[in-house]
Amino acid sequence: MSLVGKKFPNITVDAMSEMGDDLKINIFEEATKNNQKVLLFWYPKDFTFVCPTELHAFQEALPEFEKRNTKVIGASCDTNEVHFAWLNTSKDNGGIEGVTYPILADTHRQLANTLGIVDQDFEFDEEGNEIFTGSNVTYRATYLVDEDGKIFHESVNDMPLGRNVKEYLRLVDAYTHVQKNGEVCPANWEEGKEAMSANRESTAEYLAKHQN
């Protein structure tokens, strides 16, 4: 079930900083108390394959998110200790050394289960006993949260599919444009392009201008 338009769950989770500090982070409070947007991205597991490419991609884009008053936070169900070990593993060994944003350690899966993003499947044997068959790790879910703690975007990729970080920058730009100008953003809108008013006349005018 989609959570877009709803407040982000008010749940505090353990996290690890780049310096090895144990943190407590509440995404809702990060947004509302600091008057900033938050991008929270979940990945399945530390020391895996697609995951480090995504963490480095978000790190490379970090200055662009900071320009947009958007805090980037990673998350998985690994422990803080495993996060710290991965943060101290060099890039050429599959590590995430150089990543500077915090990473949630939702080891109890309280937040991940509230969001409904954990791969948890159950079957029953011939005697009716429940058998767990899932991986018990999260899918590649991404949440954009506004300054009021409201989720304005969510997406979930299956585990083999890495994300396009530039798309989240575009979505932050589009939502900020809506906030500032009260307009709506058409398909493929990018910063600097024409937007529309939310009425039939503006849509007709826009389509007439942009016929192929």
Side-chain angles (χ1 to χ4, degrees):
M1 183 176 67
S2 175
L3 297 176
V4 169
K6 299 180 175 64
K7 298 291 186 182
F8 195 88
N10 191 351
I11 296 173
T12 300
V13 182
D14 290 335
M16 171 59 58
S17 78
E18 61 170 313
M19 302 302 295
D21 298 319
D22 292 326
L23 307 174
K24 299 283 187 181
I25 291 180
N26 182 308
I27 300 299
F28 180 81
E29 292 181 353
E30 286 288 332
T32 57
K33 290 187 176 181
N34 298 315
N35 192 35
Q36 64 183 352
K37 294 180 176 67
V38 176
L39 183 151
L40 173 67
F41 74 97
W42 294 81
Y43 61 92
K45 203 172 182 181
D46 293 357
F47 290 100
T48 51
F49 317 111
V50 175
C51 297
T53 69
E54 291 194 308
L55 273 82
H56 285 298
F58 278 108
Q59 178 65 35
E60 289 170 10
L62 197 59
E64 292 300 319
F65 285 107
E66 290 174 346
K67 286 180 190 177
R68 294 160 171 82
N69 192 33
T70 301
K71 182 164 187 175
V72 173
I73 299 175
S76 79
C77 297
D78 295 282
T79 66
N80 270 349
E81 291 78 13
V82 176
H83 284 339
F84 189 56
W86 205 25
L87 283 162
N88 282 281
T89 301
S90 64
K91 194 172 182 178
D92 58 5
N93 281 320
I96 58 168
E97 186 177 33
V99 165
T100 60
Y101 49 82
I103 305 174
L104 300 188
D106 188 24
T107 54
H108 297 294
R109 293 163 175 74
Q110 182 184 8
L111 179 55
N113 278 320
T114 299
L115 296 169
I117 58 172
V118 183
D119 175 27
Q120 292 178 328
D121 294 320
F122 298 90
E123 297 178 355
F124 293 91
D125 61 21
E126 294 179 355
E127 298 177 353
N129 298 311
E130 193 174 60
I131 302 172
F132 178 78
T133 60
S135 66
N136 209 30
V137 299
T138 64
Y139 294 103
R140 298 187 192 281
T142 313
Y143 296 88
L144 289 172
V145 182
D146 72 11
E147 297 86 348
D148 294 320
K150 185 185 80 173
I151 299 169
F152 66 92
H153 169 84
E154 67 175 333
S155 58
V156 183
N157 289 7
D158 200 356
M159 294 172 195
L161 305 176
R163 282 161 279 218
N164 182 342
V165 174
K166 290 181 180 179
E167 172 64 3
Y168 300 107
L169 289 168
R170 188 192 74 83
L171 288 166
V172 170
D173 286 341
Y175 192 75
T176 302
H177 183 93
V178 171
Q179 289 175 309
K180 289 181 177 179
N181 300 288
E183 295 181 312
V184 294
C185 296
N188 300 320
W189 183 91
E190 294 176 342
E191 183 64 45
K193 289 187 175 181
E194 181 182 2
M196 306 186 303
S197 297
N199 58 58
R200 186 184 301 273
E201 292 78 12
S202 182
T203 300
E205 181 181 345
Y206 180 88
L207 291 173
K209 284 183 181 179
H210 297 85
Q211 293 184 44
N212 293 330

